Amino acid sequence: MPEVLTAPLVVEFPFTRSLGPVQSAFLTGLRERVVLGVRTTDGRTLVPPVEYDPDTADELHELFEVAPTGTVTTWAWNPAPRPGQPLTTPFAWALVRLDGADTALLHALDAPGPDAVRTGLRVRVRWAAERTGAITDIACFEPYDGPPAQPTGHTGEFTDPVTGIVAPARLDYVHSPGRAQSAHLAALTEHRVVGERCPTCHKVYVPPRGACPTCGVATREQVEVGPRGTVTTFCVVNIAAKNLDIEVPYVYAHIALDGADLALHGRIGGIPYDQVRMGLRVEPVWHEGSRFPDHYRPCGEPDAEYETYKELL
C-alpha cells in the first residue's frame, strides 16, 4: 500500500475593510492611547464597541472612555505562539474587563508562565511603540498591582481618523490527500499520471478522489492515463500572476487526458495565446525536479473532433 502523504499548507490573504463611525473612533483612539467603549440605552459600556446593541438592535453612537487597567475574567495558556500572533514567547489569551467597561476584550497577556495567570488578575495595557490605528496598537496586557488608572476624559473626537484597515487572515494546517491522491502524487514524481476507475460506471477520474463522484462507490483500480490530452475549454488570463514569472496574456485550459473521464486544468504554452482552441491536442512539459507539469504544449497531432470530448466540457 502506498504511503499516505502529508504536507503543511498555509492559506493567507489580506482583508481590506472600511470602518463605520464607532469602529473608526475606537481604532483611532488606540492610536492615541485612548480606549473607547460605546454606551447602550440601558447604561452598559461595551468594549470593544459595536454599532448596534446586541440585545435591542438599537443603533449606538455614544462613545465613552474606559481605563487602560482591568481584570482578567477568563484565560487560556498558549505554549506555542504561531506566526502573526501578538507575542513570540508563550503567553495567555485573556478576556479582560477594563475598568469602566461591562464587557471583556480579548487580547494577549504577557506572563512568565501559566502559574502566574488567574481569573481576577489585575492587568494593564502595554502600548505598542508605534501605533497606526489597529488592535495591535495594544501590544498586549501585563500584570499590574497598582491602583485603577483614570480615563483622560476624551470624548472620541479625533483629527485624521482611521477610516479603513487591512486585516491579514492566515490559516496554517497539515493536509493529508488520502490514499487515492497520495498514489496519484507519487506517480507524478515519475512523470506518470494515474487515476482510478469506478467499478460501477467504469469512468476514470484524474485526479482520483477515492470514490466515484457520480455513483458514490469506492474506487480502487488504478489506471494510467495520458500523457497527451485535448483542450476542452480555456480562458485567456490578462492579469499577471503573483510570484509566477509568466508573461501575460497567457492561457489556462481544461485538458482531458487520453483515457480520463474528467478534465484537469493546466497552463498552455509553446503557442501564441490567440491560437489556443478547443480540440487542440497537447502534451505535458516537465521541469527537472518538478512534481507537476509546468505547462502543456501542442504535440503536433490533428485537432480532436468535437464529438470525442463534448461530454467532458
Side-chain angles (χ1 to χ4, degrees), residues 145-164:
D145 58 5
Q150 297 301 312
T152 64
H154 207 288
T155 62
E157 296 293 330
F158 299 98
T159 58
D160 189 25
V162 177
T163 58

Side-chain angles (χ1 to χ4, degrees), residues 6-310:
T6 61
L9 293 180
V10 176
V11 178
E12 186 174 18
F13 59 92
F15 178 70
T16 303
R17 58 160 293 186
S18 58
L19 301 173
V22 172
Q23 294 295 318
S24 173
F26 174 66
L27 294 180
T28 306
L30 296 185
R31 186 188 67 193
E32 306 301 323
R33 298 178 59 157
V34 172
V35 184
L36 294 173
V38 68
R39 184 157 287 170
T40 65
T41 53
D42 62 2
R44 293 176 301 135
T45 299
L46 310 182
V47 179
V50 294
E51 296 181 350
Y52 295 91
D53 191 308
D55 296 327
T56 66
D58 292 337
E59 184 175 357
L60 304 178
H61 51 78
E62 183 185 357
L63 297 171
F64 184 81
E65 185 186 1
V66 299
T69 54
T71 303
V72 171
T73 62
T74 190
W75 60 278
W77 188 251
N78 181 12
R82 295 185 175 184
Q85 291 189 335
L87 299 172
T88 58
T89 55
F91 65 91
W93 288 111
L95 283 170
V96 177
R97 186 173 60 245
L98 295 172
D99 298 332
D102 294 288
T103 57
L105 172 72
L106 175 66
H107 215 298
L109 169 61
D110 188 9
D115 293 341
V117 187
R118 66 183 184 279
T119 297
L121 179 69
R122 293 287 294 168
V123 296
R124 67 179 175 186
V125 169
R126 180 190 298 169
W127 296 104
E130 296 183 6
R131 298 176 301 283
T132 60
I135 191 62
T136 50
D137 290 350
I138 298 177
C140 62
F141 285 91
E142 59 188 12
Y144 173 69
D145 58 5
Q150 297 301 312
T152 64
H154 207 288
T155 62
E157 296 293 330
F158 299 98
T159 58
D160 189 25
V162 177
T163 58
I165 59 172
V166 177
R170 180 185 174 105
L171 174 64
D172 296 76
Y173 65 102
V174 175
H175 172 65
S176 175
R179 175 200 57 80
Q181 289 196 9
S182 289
H184 172 72
L185 293 171
L188 285 175
T189 63
E190 303 171 354
H191 294 184
R192 297 185 301 113
V193 182
V194 171
E196 289 190 349
R197 189 192 311 275
C198 173
T200 302
C201 67
H202 307 295
K203 291 183 177 180
V204 176
Y205 293 100
V206 178
R209 306 175 183 181
C212 175
T214 302
C215 305
V217 299
T219 58
R220 286 284 181 176
E221 180 189 354
Q222 293 187 351
V223 180
E224 186 167 344
V225 301
R228 293 182 173 182
T230 301
V231 172
T232 61
T233 58
F234 65 92
C235 68
V236 178
V237 182
N238 292 288
I239 300 175
K242 186 177 181 180
N243 300 325
L244 292 178
D245 186 19
I246 301 175
E247 184 178 351
V248 295
Y250 59 93
V251 174
Y252 256 91
H254 276 92
I255 302 165
L257 297 181
D258 297 343
D261 293 289
L262 182 70
L264 50 76
H265 72 272
R267 184 170 64 89
I268 305 299
I271 184 175
Y273 75 93
D274 56 358
Q275 294 183 22
V276 178
R277 56 197 179 272
M278 294 172 64
L280 180 68
R281 294 285 293 162
V282 293
E283 63 186 2
V285 176
W286 303 81
H287 285 172
E288 184 177 356
S290 174
R291 182 184 290 275
F292 299 98
D294 178 73
H295 63 276
Y296 288 80
R297 67 187 177 194
C299 64
E301 295 180 359
D303 287 3
E305 295 291 336
Y306 176 72
E307 293 296 321
T308 64
Y309 63 84
K310 68 178 183 178

